[in-house]
Amino acid sequence: LPAKSGSSYITIRSAASDAYLPAAGVRVTPAYASQLPKIQGGTAGLPAIMTALGAHHWRLQFLELVDTWPYGDILALGDGSSAQNSLATVAHDLVVDRVYIHGVPGQEQKRGIALNSTYTTITDSYISDIRLTNGDAQAIAGWNGPGPFTITNNYLEATGENFLLGGSDPPIYGLVPSDITFTKNTVTKQPSWRTMGYAVKNLIEFKNAQRVTIDGNVLEYNWSGGQSGHAIMLTPRNQDGGAPWSTVQKITITNNVIRHVSGVLNILGTDYRYPSQPLSDITFRNNLVVDLSKAKWGGAGQLLLTSGGTNL
């Protein structure tokens, strides 16, 4: 998607009649695949769709995106590399609306959406079959986009971290993904993956993020595997030593259903590997926890684990 002129949206979408497609506010599912044009990536390791530096005002709607390159992104919004090293180069005003994104059966896949943009909405979409044996796989992950991000009413399925912010030092100096609204999503792993050797870690992890609202979601199926099995990890990380401004702060987690997990919330107050900013201002309120079980899901069976001088 190139950097175009003007501030009007260009929409790339199915030619099918709206009568055969889900209405606004209704999540797309694989059942609609026959109505969705398929865009496939993988050639030379490239995504199905990616943005150029500075691309803006693009809307993707009623599409099916897949990839034949197992270690890349299916959809790349913004650029996570050093090519995007200033805010002026960040892709912005992007919408992913009722898009079906998935891995290829019988093949592993690293990531559904790389979210390194600004002013971006992901809504009513379905991301599934994102899984890796050797490495972390994410439905959505971002590390070099400033936000704001609105992620609402999506199905997000991945083996590693279903939704991850941070995990790699941002090439943009001082960047912290900020002003994120994450609501009404189903965040899940397939229970059958438990015996298949995948690197299972958590459902949501923030290593560099601030001013985040996580409200009204279903977070389910997370067991002890590659990590201790906590559904939510809040751990400020200057991942590779080049981003000492990294922080996790002003995170609000409310009104969610968290079920079928070996742990709920794991909080690290300070980074013990490289200098970073301390975690602070975490609110966890009015969440329903069901089937928190060491016997069924391994791990410690903990509601809350804190370490490293946390300020709550």
Side-chain angles (χ1 to χ4, degrees):
L1 307 178
K4 62 183 182 61
S5 61
S7 59
S8 297
Y9 276 92
I10 292 177
T11 299
I12 302 173
R13 58 155 289 169
S14 171
S17 168
D18 286 353
Y20 297 101
L21 297 166
V26 178
R27 188 183 297 167
V28 75
T29 71
Y32 289 96
S34 64
Q35 303 297 324
L36 309 178
K38 181 183 291 187
I39 301 175
Q40 179 171 296
T43 302
L46 295 176
I49 295 179
M50 60 189 294
T51 55
L53 293 175
H56 60 89
H57 290 93
W58 290 93
R59 180 185 290 109
L60 306 177
Q61 194 173 58
F62 305 126
L63 305 173
E64 179 181 1
L65 306 183
V66 297
D67 201 328
T68 58
W69 175 248
Y71 301 108
D73 310 318
I74 299 176
L75 173 60
L77 303 177
D79 194 326
S81 77
S82 59
Q84 182 173 293
N85 56 19
S86 71
L87 293 176
T89 62
V90 178
H92 61 91
D93 291 284
L94 307 173
V95 177
V96 179
D97 178 17
R98 289 164 282 180
V99 175
Y100 174 33
I101 299 171
H102 63 93
V104 175
Q107 174 189 288
E108 298 191 357
Q109 183 66 56
K110 169 68 175 175
R111 187 175 295 119
I113 298 178
L115 185 59
N116 294 304
S117 51
T118 182
Y119 291 101
T120 298
T121 295
I122 303 170
T123 185
D124 300 336
S125 294
Y126 195 102
I127 305 176
S128 63
D129 210 22
I130 310 298
R131 51 195 170 78
L132 276 182
T133 303
N134 297 312
D136 295 2
Q138 301 101 25
I140 301 175
W143 59 95
N144 195 35
F149 304 131
T150 299
I151 303 170
T152 186
N153 195 38
N154 304 285
Y155 178 90
L156 306 176
E157 178 188 279
T159 53
E161 306 90 358
N162 296 49
F163 179 40
L164 171 67
L165 292 174
S168 183
D169 292 352
I172 298 176
Y173 184 86
L175 184 140
V176 179
S178 305
D179 304 305
I180 295 110
T181 301
F182 188 87
T183 58
K184 300 180 183 179
N185 301 287
T186 298
V187 185
T188 187
K189 303 183 191 298
Q190 294 187 26
S192 61
W193 289 344
R194 194 173 181 184
T195 60
M196 299 175 70
Y198 294 122
V200 169
K201 291 197 170 179
N202 52 68
L203 298 171
I204 294 176
E205 182 169 5
F206 297 153
K207 295 184 175 184
N208 187 26
Q210 63 182 353
R211 299 192 300 273
V212 183
T213 297
I214 303 171
D215 184 82
N217 304 280
V218 175
L219 313 177
E220 63 180 10
Y221 296 113
N222 200 74
W223 51 90
S224 177
Q227 288 180 343
S228 58
H230 290 84
I232 303 170
M233 299 278 290
L234 305 178
T235 58
R237 292 288 190 196
N238 176 6
Q239 189 74 23
D240 303 309
W245 60 82
S246 298
T247 185
V248 176
Q249 64 175 345
K250 298 182 180 178
I251 311 296
T252 301
I253 305 170
T254 52
N255 307 313
N256 302 283
V257 176
I258 305 169
R259 61 193 183 192
H260 316 311
V261 296
S262 57
V264 176
L265 185 59
N266 188 337
I267 294 176
L268 176 69
T270 55
D271 188 352
Y272 52 80
R273 298 178 58 200
Y274 299 107
S276 66
Q277 305 306 304
L279 176 143
S280 65
D281 298 312
I282 307 302
T283 299
F284 185 84
R285 183 179 61 242
N286 201 40
N287 298 287
L288 175 63
V289 178
V290 180
D291 190 24
L292 166 62
S293 174
K294 175 181 178 179
K296 290 178 65 175
W297 306 107
Q302 295 170 323
L303 177 67
L304 174 65
L305 174 64
T306 67
S307 58
T310 301
N311 296 312
L312 290 175

